[in-house]
Amino acid sequence: MDRIKKTLFNRLVIILLFVGSLLSFYLLNHYTDLAIDDFGFKFIKSFDLERTYCRVTNLSELIESQTTHYLGMNGRVLANGLAQLFLITENKTWFNIANTIMFGLLQVLILLLSGFRLKELTVMHYLVMITSLWFLVPGPNQTFLWLDGSFNYLWVAVLVLAFIYLFSRMGSYEGKLSWHYYPVLFLAGFLAGAGHEVISIGVAGACCLYLILNKQKITGSAIALVSGFCLGTAFVILAPGNMARMESEGVREATFLLMLAQRIWAFFLSARSMIALILLIGILIFIYLRNKVTLSGILKGNAILLYAIPISLLFIIFAGSFQERVFFGVALFSIIVILSILKMHSQFLDHKIVWILTGFLATAMLVEYTNVAKVLRENKEVFDNDE
């Protein structure tokens, strides 16, 4: 009876923490005004300069704007198109609600990909996850709160993680899926892959590599899903706008060795954006020195994510883009692997020092959250008064 009460209490606390995280996230969204990138998406993007001063008011203007964006800027028409759709209205509340829902889905998918089920999840596990998202995700304001940034990173990440989860579930599904579902899987894969090139390309390469190394798991449904994802990724990467941007950044003018040296140096200077990955590498080295058998199980259970991380990093170096937000996907993948390791070694969380450290991080998160919310609220009040 005591065990049942303890389990019910544990689940209740987790549910309250989850709801609390959503309400807190909504509040930050409410206090966050439109960024300069968001404001730009209120207007038509067109090769006709006169039309660039006109507001987007209908679907045809949105399509025109995203076509221009695809040809001149980048291929993220899905993410940016959704941003423009929400920006047609002056009421940001709908976005705040939708973005909060996506943040909840992100948490659920992270836990599922880490191998957790509700009955296995503890308060400590949840606190580790939520503090990891707070402290280890780079550029949180740009990736979680800005309207356009949220669509390009948070929303895309949810679609990509859902794809990975579906793909992993296919590997354990014993039944044969009817070919009638293949077009649906292909379309789902395409939409997931057509979000953000830096997040998608690592997963696309990882899935292809995984199927090559595990040929016995190649099924019609897996091919339909992965081929759709790869095509969606190619749709984003090969956008004429991306090619134009790379050329304008001097890729073709620089010598190869100079370009490579500059980008490798810039990559190492971005170490602050890769704290989650650095932490993961340290944990894997520690486990390797302690128990190689355990390491083998971790690598096998997280193959897709561990393949995706180096492929994503190579693409970042190739693209020469080292802003904090670019490492968003790598950070999420690293956090998921770390959580899966903690699930395998839950006894580690029983140590008193771990409880103290987690409590300290949770307290620091609450203090920092309070300060951030206060600053955002003050900025919003100034902005509203200026209007």
Side-chain angles (χ1 to χ4, degrees), residues 23-301:
L23 293 175
S24 301
F25 187 77
Y26 176 85
L27 193 62
L28 291 182
N29 276 267
H30 174 70
Y31 288 148
T32 302
D33 281 309
L34 297 181
I36 188 169
D37 287 357
D38 302 333
F39 185 78
F41 277 104
K42 282 177 170 283
F43 298 89
I44 299 173
K45 296 184 183 297
S46 174
F47 293 117
D48 182 353
L49 295 181
E50 292 184 1
R51 287 181 59 75
T52 58
Y53 296 98
C54 300
R55 285 287 302 272
V56 175
T57 58
N58 55 56
L59 185 60
S60 63
E61 291 173 345
L62 191 152
I63 293 174
E64 176 191 358
S65 189
Q66 287 310 308
T67 301
T68 306
H69 198 91
Y70 187 79
L71 296 175
M73 284 294 294
N74 59 50
R76 302 172 209 159
V77 294
L78 176 63
N80 293 327
L82 285 171
Q84 283 202 303
L85 184 64
F86 273 85
L87 285 166
I88 289 177
T89 176
E90 295 292 340
N91 189 352
K92 187 173 174 283
T93 302
W94 293 111
F95 165 76
N96 296 338
I97 295 172
N99 207 40
T100 301
I101 293 172
M102 295 305 286
F103 181 65
L105 290 175
L106 177 71
Q107 293 185 54
V108 171
L109 285 166
I110 286 174
L111 292 172
L112 287 174
L113 287 170
S114 301
F116 287 101
R117 299 297 179 267
L118 181 58
K119 63 181 180 180
E120 302 168 325
L121 188 63
T122 67
V123 173
M124 280 291 289
H125 286 127
Y126 185 82
L127 287 176
V128 170
M129 180 198 68
I130 205 69
T131 52
S132 296
L133 288 176
W134 182 265
F135 289 112
L136 300 182
V137 171
N141 58 328
Q142 301 171 13
T143 55
F144 282 138
L145 300 177
W146 289 9
L147 190 146
D148 182 56
S150 296
F151 283 111
N152 275 272
Y153 293 93
L154 172 58
W155 289 53
V156 167
V158 168
L159 291 177
V160 171
L161 293 182
F163 164 82
I164 296 173
Y165 181 71
L166 180 59
F167 178 75
S168 64
R169 294 296 295 172
M170 281 184 172
S172 60
Y173 180 64
E174 297 180 357
K176 186 177 180 181
L177 200 63
S178 171
W179 64 268
H180 295 92
Y181 293 100
Y182 292 179
V184 177
L185 292 172
F186 179 87
L187 179 60
F190 181 87
L191 292 175
H196 194 297
E197 61 275 14
V198 179
I199 299 176
S200 298
I201 192 169
V203 176
C207 289
C208 292
L209 182 60
Y210 181 83
L211 290 176
I212 291 173
L213 297 177
N214 300 272
K215 295 181 180 180
Q216 71 277 10
K217 294 188 177 182
I218 297 179
T219 61
S221 55
I223 291 175
L225 185 66
V226 173
S227 59
F229 189 90
C230 291
L231 186 61
T233 302
F235 174 80
V236 178
I237 293 176
L238 301 179
N242 279 334
M243 302 299 108
R245 287 176 69 186
M246 290 179 66
E247 184 174 357
S248 67
E249 290 169 2
V251 173
R252 294 187 180 181
E253 287 78 13
T255 63
F256 176 77
L257 290 178
L258 179 61
M259 179 187 73
L260 185 63
Q262 289 175 337
R263 296 191 174 183
I264 291 177
W265 177 245
F267 176 78
F268 282 108
L269 291 178
S270 302
R272 184 179 178 183
S273 301
M274 295 182 282
I275 296 176
L277 175 60
I278 294 170
L279 181 60
L280 172 61
I281 293 173
I283 293 172
L284 291 177
I285 292 174
F286 176 78
I287 293 174
Y288 173 78
L289 295 175
R290 292 290 299 271
N291 192 331
K292 294 181 181 179
V293 176
T294 301
L295 179 64
S296 177
I298 293 170
L299 298 179
K300 185 177 179 181

